[in-house]
Amino acid sequence: MTKRTGTPGADDILRKELANGMILLARENESSRTAAISAFIPGGDMTNPQGKEGLSGLMASLLTSGTGTRDDQAISSFLETIGASITFSSGMHGLSMRISCIAEDFDPVLSLAAEIVQDPTFPEAKFQQNRDQMTAALRYRAHDTGEMASLLFRKLYYGDHPYAVDGMGTVRTLAGLTRGDVETQFRSALRTAGTILAFSGGIPTERVLESVAAAFGSWNAAPTLSERTDPVAGAPSAAREHYEIPGMSQLNYVVGFAAPAILDPDYNALLLGNCVLGQFGMMGRIGNVVRDQNGLAYSISSALNPLPLGGTWLIQAGVNPDNFEKALALTLSEARRYLAEPVSAEELADVKSFQNGVLPLVLESNRGISSALLRIERCGLGLDYYREIGSKLAGIGAEEILDASRRYMELDRAVIASAGTLERGA
């Protein structure tokens, strides 16, 4: 394959599907002595049985606690000795696995990762410890105004769709989980076919393929649990709700709308529009007006969250509770101004330059490159996505941004969630 040090593309990315359905994307970084893998394993929070929310996250936290041949001490000692890491976490649709190591240690570290994925033991003592830690994290999160506003927004926006369910569970659901539940979830939820391993580092790609095939080629997990795949039924009707947390000095709010999928023709236009609205410079237009000019917010920004079954376009802010209504009103006013006329030529030029400048930063490390490769595979963007995105953005005009924004930012259907202290003396 062609070896390059610039932006990844089809001529220097190896993409292979193994016989067991795993997919490998690998790109050699000749100048690097390290290696990184970002991986996605199907079977995440959306496979949690009803009443056992938090199970997938607990399982993920326990994977490195022991295998059939090594306990957690042996695993951690091996990794610490060579300065490597293997971590797991659970998301809505699957587990995330991240591996980093020196290139010369890649094979033994990869073999350990394969052993962990195929033969974990979930020791009872570690099960109790991790469940207690997750329970403590939930209790702490209950006083985080930003987290609670986001959770409330999801419930309001997604209704009875699985996206509304909190993958971390509750104190009650965690208390009801057993080690047997974790073992059952491991056997029933994870799927080999569709697992994606994305590699970047100082190892030739053909050798990476050989190593991955040797380590994972015999893995054939076939789940019995499945997740709902029905898309979100469009934006809901307008809704507003507050979650009271006594004694807090900061209040957070979320204002949300529907957002398209990444492959939707409107997505790139909204990417630029969102940058104008709440990202470029010091949090875009809303940051300039709500925070800088009027001093009504500690922080405020906007973001696109294009989830596979139905994403959202969010404005999020942290404010003094006394300023909540004023800040919210000004936020909505600025959103109306954004929808009233096209962005200026100067703003459009700035955000296009900004997006082009961000890309090299994303791709400057093996971790960044492996994450980018994982993203293009999961989202179906194509191997040349990062080479082509600049020219695609360059061709987008201000009117196109305005039209797309008006299709999605329906202010009369805004979903507004807030969390913090509004009842003084509470």
Side-chain angles (χ1 to χ4, degrees), residues 62 121-131 178-180:
L62 287 164
T121 55
F122 307 116
E124 179 66 30
K126 292 295 291 185
F127 164 79
Q128 297 285 352
Q129 179 183 346
N130 286 24
R131 186 179 64 174
T178 67
R179 178 178 172 277

Side-chain angles (χ1 to χ4, degrees), residues 3 9 12 17 50 66 73 81 92 103 109 164 172 196 256 285 294 305 310 331 350 385 388-389 397 403-404:
K3 298 175 182 177
D12 66 355
E17 184 171 341
Q50 188 173 2
Q73 292 290 337
T81 299
M92 285 184 178
V109 173
R172 182 177 180 180
I196 306 165
R285 286 186 181 182
N294 289 277
N305 185 26
T331 299
D350 283 343
Y385 172 78
E388 297 173 347
I389 185 61
D403 290 344

Side-chain angles (χ1 to χ4, degrees), residues 157 234-236 256-260 264-270 304 311 313 335 338-340 396-414:
Y157 186 90
F257 315 90
D264 189 282
D266 283 333
Y267 182 80
N268 286 336
L270 291 184
L304 292 171
W313 188 1
Y338 168 77
L339 295 172
I396 295 173
E399 290 289 347
E400 187 176 349
I401 293 173
L402 182 61
D403 290 344
S405 298
R406 286 173 172 173
R407 276 191 285 275
Y408 287 91
M409 186 174 282
E410 300 178 276
L411 292 177
D412 60 344
R413 302 181 72 178

Side-chain angles (χ1 to χ4, degrees), residues 153 156-158 233-240 256 410-416:
F153 172 83
L156 293 174
Y157 186 90
Y158 288 113
S237 301
R240 179 174 174 179
E410 300 178 276
L411 292 177
D412 60 344
R413 302 181 72 178
V415 175
I416 303 172

Side-chain angles (χ1 to χ4, degrees), residues 92-123:
M92 285 184 178
H93 293 279
L95 301 192
S96 171
M97 177 178 71
R98 293 190 179 276
I99 301 172
S100 62
C101 63
I102 296 173
E104 64 188 44
D105 295 325
F106 179 68
D107 283 342
V109 173
L110 186 69
S111 295
L112 173 57
E115 183 181 331
I116 290 170
V117 168
Q118 297 177 72
D119 188 29
T121 55
F122 307 116

Side-chain angles (χ1 to χ4, degrees), residues 168-226:
M168 283 186 67
T170 66
V171 171
R172 182 177 180 180
T173 61
L174 287 180
L177 298 180
T178 67
R179 178 178 172 277
D181 291 329
V182 172
E183 290 182 321
T184 299
Q185 183 74 4
F186 171 76
R187 292 192 304 268
S188 304
L190 301 190
R191 185 171 74 246
T192 302
T195 291
I196 306 165
L197 268 64
F199 168 90
S200 176
I203 305 172
T205 55
E206 292 295 338
R207 198 190 126 201
V208 174
L209 175 60
E210 293 174 0
S211 299
V212 170
F216 286 94
S218 61
W219 182 40
N220 283 287
T224 57
L225 293 174
S226 61

